[in-house]
Amino acid sequence: MTARGFERHSYLESPVHRLDARAKIVGLFAAILVCVSTPPDACLAFIGYFAFAIGFLIVSRVPPGYVLKRSLVVIPFAAMTAVFLPFSGDGAFTGGYSFGIGGMHLSRSGLLLFWNAMVKACFGVVCVTLLSATTPFPELLRGLERMKAPRIVTMLIGFTYRYLFVLKEEALRMKRAGDARGYGGRWLWDARVIGEMAGTLFLRGYERGERVYLAMASRGFNWRPPPTDGERFHAADWWFMLAAFTWFAAVRGTL
């Protein structure tokens, strides 16, 4: 998949897509900060946060399946880190549920911690997915630069993002070469060959990066990207941030 294919939904036409990247960055990251600071037992508040995300999704016209698919890639990693939390609480004071096997039990405080970690991780992943699905990556970088983010940071992020697709093409080229030679690589004893292929991919990627650097240096690149033109906020951008902050203030007021 190319960068254009990965960002295919960020070029749709909708009121959300027409918003300035800075407004979406501020609004969605403010939503994440408010969600993270919410007590775990405030279920109505979390319903309000996800209602905002659903409304954002509906207005953006991004397919819900796309957001769900992208979110499910990250959520299992959060579940792996939080899966032991239900067993870590002290059931003597908070109560719990015993398995009757070797003293194992689920504590209510541990279950509350697990719920807290998962619901906040899910909301954060959904917000980041919505941001990337409604804003082309170059506009995100320009928005960060206009928000006075260090240029070296935005430049490295841009290079990393684009170079991932280069590495993917190199890996696919190696896979096609292996398939043409009848290599399957599905068994444990093929681990050595797979490791050698990974090392070869690293060397090819290093050499490719060196060639890219020499090509950029020959064209006068001096590690100083050209400054971006300043764009002023429109009325829709201010209304979006005002509506988002008002919604979250009203939701937090229910605590």
PDB file of all heavy atoms in Angstrom, residues 6-11 17 24 28-29 56 62 66-67 70 125-137 140 161:
ATOM      1  N   PHE A   6      -2.956   4.673   1.787  1.00  0.00           N
ATOM      2  CA  PHE A   6      -3.145   4.678   3.233  1.00  0.00           C
ATOM      3  C   PHE A   6      -3.986   5.873   3.674  1.00  0.00           C
ATOM      4  O   PHE A   6      -4.720   5.797   4.652  1.00  0.00           O
ATOM      5  CB  PHE A   6      -1.779   4.711   3.925  1.00  0.00           C
ATOM      6  CG  PHE A   6      -1.836   4.582   5.413  1.00  0.00           C
ATOM      7  CD1 PHE A   6      -2.002   3.340   6.004  1.00  0.00           C
ATOM      8  CD2 PHE A   6      -1.720   5.696   6.224  1.00  0.00           C
ATOM      9  CE1 PHE A   6      -2.062   3.205   7.376  1.00  0.00           C
ATOM     10  CE2 PHE A   6      -1.779   5.576   7.596  1.00  0.00           C
ATOM     11  CZ  PHE A   6      -1.942   4.318   8.178  1.00  0.00           C
ATOM     12  N   GLU A   7      -3.886   6.981   2.938  1.00  0.00           N
ATOM     13  CA  GLU A   7      -4.598   8.205   3.301  1.00  0.00           C
ATOM     14  C   GLU A   7      -5.819   8.443   2.415  1.00  0.00           C
ATOM     15  O   GLU A   7      -6.264   9.572   2.271  1.00  0.00           O
ATOM     16  CB  GLU A   7      -3.657   9.411   3.180  1.00  0.00           C
ATOM     17  CG  GLU A   7      -2.442   9.345   4.071  1.00  0.00           C
ATOM     18  CD  GLU A   7      -1.500  10.511   3.829  1.00  0.00           C
ATOM     19  OE1 GLU A   7      -1.791  11.330   2.929  1.00  0.00           O
ATOM     20  OE2 GLU A   7      -0.475  10.610   4.519  1.00  0.00           O
ATOM     21  N   ARG A   8      -6.364   7.382   1.848  1.00  0.00           N
ATOM     22  CA  ARG A   8      -7.414   7.569   0.856  1.00  0.00           C
ATOM     23  C   ARG A   8      -8.647   8.252   1.440  1.00  0.00           C
ATOM     24  O   ARG A   8      -9.343   8.992   0.735  1.00  0.00           O
ATOM     25  CB  ARG A   8      -7.813   6.225   0.252  1.00  0.00           C
ATOM     26  CG  ARG A   8      -8.354   5.211   1.243  1.00  0.00           C
ATOM     27  CD  ARG A   8      -8.566   3.862   0.572  1.00  0.00           C
ATOM     28  NE  ARG A   8      -9.128   2.862   1.461  1.00  0.00           N
ATOM     29  CZ  ARG A   8      -8.421   2.137   2.317  1.00  0.00           C
ATOM     30  NH1 ARG A   8      -7.109   2.307   2.373  1.00  0.00           N
ATOM     31  NH2 ARG A   8      -9.002   1.242   3.089  1.00  0.00           N
ATOM     32  N   HIS A   9      -8.939   8.035   2.725  1.00  0.00           N
ATOM     33  CA  HIS A   9     -10.123   8.661   3.324  1.00  0.00           C
ATOM     34  C   HIS A   9      -9.852  10.085   3.788  1.00  0.00           C
ATOM     35  O   HIS A   9     -10.803  10.812   4.098  1.00  0.00           O
ATOM     36  CB  HIS A   9     -10.608   7.820   4.505  1.00  0.00           C
ATOM     37  CG  HIS A   9     -11.099   6.454   4.111  1.00  0.00           C
ATOM     38  ND1 HIS A   9     -12.183   6.258   3.286  1.00  0.00           N
ATOM     39  CD2 HIS A   9     -10.644   5.215   4.423  1.00  0.00           C
ATOM     40  CE1 HIS A   9     -12.377   4.963   3.108  1.00  0.00           C
ATOM     41  NE2 HIS A   9     -11.461   4.313   3.775  1.00  0.00           N
ATOM     42  N   SER A  10      -8.587  10.476   3.873  1.00  0.00           N
ATOM     43  CA  SER A  10      -8.287  11.838   4.314  1.00  0.00           C
ATOM     44  C   SER A  10      -8.535  12.869   3.228  1.00  0.00           C
ATOM     45  O   SER A  10      -8.457  14.069   3.484  1.00  0.00           O
ATOM     46  CB  SER A  10      -6.825  11.929   4.780  1.00  0.00           C
ATOM     47  OG  SER A  10      -5.945  11.638   3.718  1.00  0.00           O
ATOM     48  N   TYR A  11      -8.831  12.401   2.008  1.00  0.00           N
ATOM     49  CA  TYR A  11      -9.102  13.321   0.898  1.00  0.00           C
ATOM     50  C   TYR A  11     -10.596  13.353   0.544  1.00  0.00           C
ATOM     51  O   TYR A  11     -10.960  13.827  -0.531  1.00  0.00           O
ATOM     52  CB  TYR A  11      -8.287  12.921  -0.332  1.00  0.00           C
ATOM     53  CG  TYR A  11      -6.796  13.115  -0.145  1.00  0.00           C
ATOM     54  CD1 TYR A  11      -6.000  12.069   0.292  1.00  0.00           C
ATOM     55  CD2 TYR A  11      -6.207  14.349  -0.390  1.00  0.00           C
ATOM     56  CE1 TYR A  11      -4.634  12.248   0.473  1.00  0.00           C
ATOM     57  CE2 TYR A  11      -4.840  14.538  -0.218  1.00  0.00           C
ATOM     58  CZ  TYR A  11      -4.063  13.473   0.220  1.00  0.00           C
ATOM     59  OH  TYR A  11      -2.714  13.653   0.402  1.00  0.00           O
ATOM     60  N   HIS A  17     -13.264  17.484   7.033  1.00  0.00           N
ATOM     61  CA  HIS A  17     -12.051  17.519   6.224  1.00  0.00           C
ATOM     62  C   HIS A  17     -11.642  18.942   5.874  1.00  0.00           C
ATOM     63  O   HIS A  17     -10.452  19.210   5.658  1.00  0.00           O
ATOM     64  CB  HIS A  17     -12.248  16.713   4.937  1.00  0.00           C
ATOM     65  CG  HIS A  17     -12.284  15.230   5.147  1.00  0.00           C
ATOM     66  ND1 HIS A  17     -13.380  14.574   5.676  1.00  0.00           N
ATOM     67  CD2 HIS A  17     -11.351  14.269   4.908  1.00  0.00           C
ATOM     68  CE1 HIS A  17     -13.123  13.278   5.742  1.00  0.00           C
ATOM     69  NE2 HIS A  17     -11.908  13.062   5.285  1.00  0.00           N
ATOM     70  N   LYS A  24      -8.345  20.552  14.490  1.00  0.00           N
ATOM     71  CA  LYS A  24      -8.582  19.138  14.784  1.00  0.00           C
ATOM     72  C   LYS A  24      -7.561  18.587  15.773  1.00  0.00           C
ATOM     73  O   LYS A  24      -7.904  17.777  16.643  1.00  0.00           O
ATOM     74  CB  LYS A  24      -8.570  18.341  13.477  1.00  0.00           C
ATOM     75  CG  LYS A  24      -9.797  18.587  12.616  1.00  0.00           C
ATOM     76  CD  LYS A  24      -9.768  17.774  11.338  1.00  0.00           C
ATOM     77  CE  LYS A  24      -8.928  18.438  10.274  1.00  0.00           C
ATOM     78  NZ  LYS A  24      -9.062  17.784   8.959  1.00  0.00           N
ATOM     79  N   LEU A  28      -9.136  17.217  19.284  1.00  0.00           N
ATOM     80  CA  LEU A  28      -9.074  15.783  19.579  1.00  0.00           C
ATOM     81  C   LEU A  28      -8.089  15.470  20.696  1.00  0.00           C
ATOM     82  O   LEU A  28      -8.357  14.596  21.533  1.00  0.00           O
ATOM     83  CB  LEU A  28      -8.721  15.014  18.313  1.00  0.00           C
ATOM     84  CG  LEU A  28      -9.824  15.005  17.249  1.00  0.00           C
ATOM     85  CD1 LEU A  28      -9.352  14.318  15.979  1.00  0.00           C
ATOM     86  CD2 LEU A  28     -11.085  14.324  17.761  1.00  0.00           C
ATOM     87  N   PHE A  29      -6.964  16.177  20.752  1.00  0.00           N
ATOM     88  CA  PHE A  29      -6.032  15.913  21.845  1.00  0.00           C
ATOM     89  C   PHE A  29      -6.559  16.474  23.164  1.00  0.00           C
ATOM     90  O   PHE A  29      -6.266  15.928  24.231  1.00  0.00           O
ATOM     91  CB  PHE A  29      -4.660  16.480  21.515  1.00  0.00           C
ATOM     92  CG  PHE A  29      -3.822  15.539  20.710  1.00  0.00           C
ATOM     93  CD1 PHE A  29      -3.847  15.578  19.325  1.00  0.00           C
ATOM     94  CD2 PHE A  29      -3.040  14.581  21.322  1.00  0.00           C
ATOM     95  CE1 PHE A  29      -3.104  14.692  18.572  1.00  0.00           C
ATOM     96  CE2 PHE A  29      -2.288  13.692  20.580  1.00  0.00           C
ATOM     97  CZ  PHE A  29      -2.308  13.747  19.197  1.00  0.00           C
ATOM     98  N   PHE A  56     -18.367  12.981  15.433  1.00  0.00           N
ATOM     99  CA  PHE A  56     -17.249  13.380  14.568  1.00  0.00           C
ATOM    100  C   PHE A  56     -17.128  12.430  13.382  1.00  0.00           C
ATOM    101  O   PHE A  56     -16.912  12.860  12.245  1.00  0.00           O
ATOM    102  CB  PHE A  56     -15.961  13.382  15.401  1.00  0.00           C
ATOM    103  CG  PHE A  56     -14.784  14.013  14.714  1.00  0.00           C
ATOM    104  CD1 PHE A  56     -14.474  15.341  14.920  1.00  0.00           C
ATOM    105  CD2 PHE A  56     -13.986  13.272  13.867  1.00  0.00           C
ATOM    106  CE1 PHE A  56     -13.385  15.933  14.291  1.00  0.00           C
ATOM    107  CE2 PHE A  56     -12.891  13.837  13.232  1.00  0.00           C
ATOM    108  CZ  PHE A  56     -12.594  15.176  13.453  1.00  0.00           C
ATOM    109  N   VAL A  62     -16.313   9.220   7.078  1.00  0.00           N
ATOM    110  CA  VAL A  62     -15.332   8.137   7.002  1.00  0.00           C
ATOM    111  C   VAL A  62     -16.039   6.828   7.337  1.00  0.00           C
ATOM    112  O   VAL A  62     -16.822   6.773   8.299  1.00  0.00           O
ATOM    113  CB  VAL A  62     -14.167   8.390   7.981  1.00  0.00           C
ATOM    114  CG1 VAL A  62     -13.194   7.208   7.989  1.00  0.00           C
ATOM    115  CG2 VAL A  62     -13.440   9.672   7.599  1.00  0.00           C
ATOM    116  N   TYR A  66     -13.516   1.265   8.604  1.00  0.00           N
ATOM    117  CA  TYR A  66     -12.106   1.663   8.471  1.00  0.00           C
ATOM    118  C   TYR A  66     -11.539   2.067   9.826  1.00  0.00           C
ATOM    119  O   TYR A  66     -10.439   1.656  10.204  1.00  0.00           O
ATOM    120  CB  TYR A  66     -12.001   2.817   7.485  1.00  0.00           C
ATOM    121  CG  TYR A  66     -10.622   3.414   7.381  1.00  0.00           C
ATOM    122  CD1 TYR A  66      -9.654   2.832   6.585  1.00  0.00           C
ATOM    123  CD2 TYR A  66     -10.297   4.566   8.093  1.00  0.00           C
ATOM    124  CE1 TYR A  66      -8.383   3.379   6.486  1.00  0.00           C
ATOM    125  CE2 TYR A  66      -9.028   5.122   7.997  1.00  0.00           C
ATOM    126  CZ  TYR A  66      -8.081   4.527   7.201  1.00  0.00           C
ATOM    127  OH  TYR A  66      -6.825   5.072   7.122  1.00  0.00           O
ATOM    128  N   VAL A  67     -12.301   2.880  10.575  1.00  0.00           N
ATOM    129  CA  VAL A  67     -11.833   3.317  11.897  1.00  0.00           C
ATOM    130  C   VAL A  67     -11.730   2.127  12.846  1.00  0.00           C
ATOM    131  O   VAL A  67     -10.767   2.006  13.611  1.00  0.00           O
ATOM    132  CB  VAL A  67     -12.787   4.387  12.469  1.00  0.00           C
ATOM    133  CG1 VAL A  67     -12.367   4.806  13.874  1.00  0.00           C
ATOM    134  CG2 VAL A  67     -12.826   5.596  11.551  1.00  0.00           C
ATOM    135  N   ARG A  70      -8.591   0.013  11.918  1.00  0.00           N
ATOM    136  CA  ARG A  70      -7.344   0.651  12.339  1.00  0.00           C
ATOM    137  C   ARG A  70      -7.199   0.635  13.855  1.00  0.00           C
ATOM    138  O   ARG A  70      -6.087   0.486  14.377  1.00  0.00           O
ATOM    139  CB  ARG A  70      -7.300   2.094  11.827  1.00  0.00           C
ATOM    140  CG  ARG A  70      -7.265   2.207  10.320  1.00  0.00           C
ATOM    141  CD  ARG A  70      -6.006   1.600   9.751  1.00  0.00           C
ATOM    142  NE  ARG A  70      -5.997   1.642   8.283  1.00  0.00           N
ATOM    143  CZ  ARG A  70      -5.091   1.064   7.539  1.00  0.00           C
ATOM    144  NH1 ARG A  70      -4.117   0.385   8.100  1.00  0.00           N
ATOM    145  NH2 ARG A  70      -5.155   1.130   6.227  1.00  0.00           N
ATOM    146  N   VAL A 125      -7.153   5.817  20.931  1.00  0.00           N
ATOM    147  CA  VAL A 125      -6.852   5.245  19.620  1.00  0.00           C
ATOM    148  C   VAL A 125      -7.881   5.696  18.591  1.00  0.00           C
ATOM    149  O   VAL A 125      -7.539   6.030  17.446  1.00  0.00           O
ATOM    150  CB  VAL A 125      -6.802   3.711  19.714  1.00  0.00           C
ATOM    151  CG1 VAL A 125      -6.720   3.087  18.327  1.00  0.00           C
ATOM    152  CG2 VAL A 125      -5.612   3.272  20.548  1.00  0.00           C
ATOM    153  N   VAL A 126      -9.148   5.738  18.975  1.00  0.00           N
ATOM    154  CA  VAL A 126     -10.192   6.175  18.046  1.00  0.00           C
ATOM    155  C   VAL A 126      -9.984   7.635  17.646  1.00  0.00           C
ATOM    156  O   VAL A 126     -10.113   8.004  16.466  1.00  0.00           O
ATOM    157  CB  VAL A 126     -11.582   5.973  18.682  1.00  0.00           C
ATOM    158  CG1 VAL A 126     -12.658   6.682  17.865  1.00  0.00           C
ATOM    159  CG2 VAL A 126     -11.912   4.491  18.776  1.00  0.00           C
ATOM    160  N   CYS A 127      -9.612   8.487  18.614  1.00  0.00           N
ATOM    161  CA  CYS A 127      -9.389   9.902  18.297  1.00  0.00           C
ATOM    162  C   CYS A 127      -8.211  10.083  17.350  1.00  0.00           C
ATOM    163  O   CYS A 127      -8.292  10.849  16.378  1.00  0.00           O
ATOM    164  CB  CYS A 127      -9.157  10.687  19.588  1.00  0.00           C
ATOM    165  SG  CYS A 127     -10.638  10.967  20.574  1.00  0.00           S
ATOM    166  N   VAL A 128      -7.115   9.377  17.605  1.00  0.00           N
ATOM    167  CA  VAL A 128      -5.951   9.487  16.726  1.00  0.00           C
ATOM    168  C   VAL A 128      -6.284   8.946  15.336  1.00  0.00           C
ATOM    169  O   VAL A 128      -5.859   9.506  14.313  1.00  0.00           O
ATOM    170  CB  VAL A 128      -4.755   8.750  17.346  1.00  0.00           C
ATOM    171  CG1 VAL A 128      -3.583   8.716  16.374  1.00  0.00           C
ATOM    172  CG2 VAL A 128      -4.332   9.416  18.639  1.00  0.00           C
ATOM    173  N   THR A 129      -7.049   7.855  15.277  1.00  0.00           N
ATOM    174  CA  THR A 129      -7.448   7.302  13.984  1.00  0.00           C
ATOM    175  C   THR A 129      -8.328   8.274  13.217  1.00  0.00           C
ATOM    176  O   THR A 129      -8.170   8.462  12.000  1.00  0.00           O
ATOM    177  CB  THR A 129      -8.181   5.975  14.180  1.00  0.00           C
ATOM    178  OG1 THR A 129      -7.363   5.075  14.935  1.00  0.00           O
ATOM    179  CG2 THR A 129      -8.522   5.329  12.848  1.00  0.00           C
ATOM    180  N   LEU A 130      -9.262   8.924  13.914  1.00  0.00           N
ATOM    181  CA  LEU A 130     -10.111   9.908  13.257  1.00  0.00           C
ATOM    182  C   LEU A 130      -9.295  11.093  12.756  1.00  0.00           C
ATOM    183  O   LEU A 130      -9.559  11.632  11.673  1.00  0.00           O
ATOM    184  CB  LEU A 130     -11.196  10.386  14.231  1.00  0.00           C
ATOM    185  CG  LEU A 130     -12.309   9.393  14.548  1.00  0.00           C
ATOM    186  CD1 LEU A 130     -13.214   9.943  15.634  1.00  0.00           C
ATOM    187  CD2 LEU A 130     -13.124   9.091  13.298  1.00  0.00           C
ATOM    188  N   LEU A 131      -8.305  11.511  13.542  1.00  0.00           N
ATOM    189  CA  LEU A 131      -7.463  12.624  13.112  1.00  0.00           C
ATOM    190  C   LEU A 131      -6.697  12.282  11.848  1.00  0.00           C
ATOM    191  O   LEU A 131      -6.643  13.074  10.893  1.00  0.00           O
ATOM    192  CB  LEU A 131      -6.500  12.993  14.240  1.00  0.00           C
ATOM    193  CG  LEU A 131      -5.503  14.117  13.938  1.00  0.00           C
ATOM    194  CD1 LEU A 131      -6.227  15.416  13.640  1.00  0.00           C
ATOM    195  CD2 LEU A 131      -4.534  14.304  15.105  1.00  0.00           C
ATOM    196  N   SER A 132      -6.101  11.102  11.801  1.00  0.00           N
ATOM    197  CA  SER A 132      -5.334  10.702  10.621  1.00  0.00           C
ATOM    198  C   SER A 132      -6.233  10.394   9.428  1.00  0.00           C
ATOM    199  O   SER A 132      -5.805  10.523   8.271  1.00  0.00           O
ATOM    200  CB  SER A 132      -4.471   9.483  10.944  1.00  0.00           C
ATOM    201  OG  SER A 132      -5.279   8.371  11.290  1.00  0.00           O
ATOM    202  N   ALA A 133      -7.478   9.970   9.698  1.00  0.00           N
ATOM    203  CA  ALA A 133      -8.389   9.625   8.607  1.00  0.00           C
ATOM    204  C   ALA A 133      -9.051  10.842   7.991  1.00  0.00           C
ATOM    205  O   ALA A 133      -9.623  10.736   6.902  1.00  0.00           O
ATOM    206  CB  ALA A 133      -9.464   8.656   9.105  1.00  0.00           C
ATOM    207  N   THR A 134      -8.997  11.984   8.646  1.00  0.00           N
ATOM    208  CA  THR A 134      -9.651  13.190   8.125  1.00  0.00           C
ATOM    209  C   THR A 134      -8.666  14.286   7.751  1.00  0.00           C
ATOM    210  O   THR A 134      -9.091  15.356   7.301  1.00  0.00           O
ATOM    211  CB  THR A 134     -10.623  13.760   9.171  1.00  0.00           C
ATOM    212  OG1 THR A 134      -9.925  14.020  10.399  1.00  0.00           O
ATOM    213  CG2 THR A 134     -11.751  12.778   9.444  1.00  0.00           C
ATOM    214  N   THR A 135      -7.367  14.013   7.911  1.00  0.00           N
ATOM    215  CA  THR A 135      -6.359  15.036   7.622  1.00  0.00           C
ATOM    216  C   THR A 135      -5.194  14.399   6.889  1.00  0.00           C
ATOM    217  O   THR A 135      -4.580  13.464   7.423  1.00  0.00           O
ATOM    218  CB  THR A 135      -5.843  15.697   8.910  1.00  0.00           C
ATOM    219  OG1 THR A 135      -6.933  16.065   9.746  1.00  0.00           O
ATOM    220  CG2 THR A 135      -5.014  16.931   8.573  1.00  0.00           C
ATOM    221  N   PRO A 136      -4.861  14.835   5.683  1.00  0.00           N
ATOM    222  CA  PRO A 136      -3.665  14.300   5.008  1.00  0.00           C
ATOM    223  C   PRO A 136      -2.411  14.528   5.853  1.00  0.00           C
ATOM    224  O   PRO A 136      -2.301  15.532   6.560  1.00  0.00           O
ATOM    225  CB  PRO A 136      -3.622  15.095   3.698  1.00  0.00           C
ATOM    226  CG  PRO A 136      -5.022  15.554   3.485  1.00  0.00           C
ATOM    227  CD  PRO A 136      -5.596  15.792   4.851  1.00  0.00           C
ATOM    228  N   PHE A 137      -1.484  13.600   5.749  1.00  0.00           N
ATOM    229  CA  PHE A 137      -0.298  13.667   6.596  1.00  0.00           C
ATOM    230  C   PHE A 137       0.508  14.953   6.398  1.00  0.00           C
ATOM    231  O   PHE A 137       0.975  15.539   7.381  1.00  0.00           O
ATOM    232  CB  PHE A 137       0.580  12.438   6.348  1.00  0.00           C
ATOM    233  CG  PHE A 137       1.656  12.248   7.379  1.00  0.00           C
ATOM    234  CD1 PHE A 137       1.354  11.731   8.625  1.00  0.00           C
ATOM    235  CD2 PHE A 137       2.961  12.608   7.098  1.00  0.00           C
ATOM    236  CE1 PHE A 137       2.340  11.569   9.577  1.00  0.00           C
ATOM    237  CE2 PHE A 137       3.956  12.444   8.047  1.00  0.00           C
ATOM    238  CZ  PHE A 137       3.640  11.921   9.294  1.00  0.00           C
ATOM    239  N   LEU A 140      -1.050  17.585   8.477  1.00  0.00           N
ATOM    240  CA  LEU A 140      -0.772  17.403   9.897  1.00  0.00           C
ATOM    241  C   LEU A 140       0.595  17.981  10.263  1.00  0.00           C
ATOM    242  O   LEU A 140       0.748  18.654  11.288  1.00  0.00           O
ATOM    243  CB  LEU A 140      -0.830  15.920  10.262  1.00  0.00           C
ATOM    244  CG  LEU A 140      -2.209  15.302  10.454  1.00  0.00           C
ATOM    245  CD1 LEU A 140      -2.074  13.802  10.717  1.00  0.00           C
ATOM    246  CD2 LEU A 140      -2.940  15.970  11.605  1.00  0.00           C
ATOM    247  N   TYR A 161       7.714   8.468   8.364  1.00  0.00           N
ATOM    248  CA  TYR A 161       6.443   8.037   7.775  1.00  0.00           C
ATOM    249  C   TYR A 161       6.630   7.613   6.316  1.00  0.00           C
ATOM    250  O   TYR A 161       6.148   6.548   5.901  1.00  0.00           O
ATOM    251  CB  TYR A 161       5.434   9.182   7.876  1.00  0.00           C
ATOM    252  CG  TYR A 161       4.106   8.907   7.216  1.00  0.00           C
ATOM    253  CD1 TYR A 161       3.173   8.094   7.839  1.00  0.00           C
ATOM    254  CD2 TYR A 161       3.795   9.468   5.981  1.00  0.00           C
ATOM    255  CE1 TYR A 161       1.945   7.837   7.234  1.00  0.00           C
ATOM    256  CE2 TYR A 161       2.582   9.222   5.380  1.00  0.00           C
ATOM    257  CZ  TYR A 161       1.660   8.408   6.015  1.00  0.00           C
ATOM    258  OH  TYR A 161       0.466   8.151   5.411  1.00  0.00           O
TER     259      TYR A 161
END
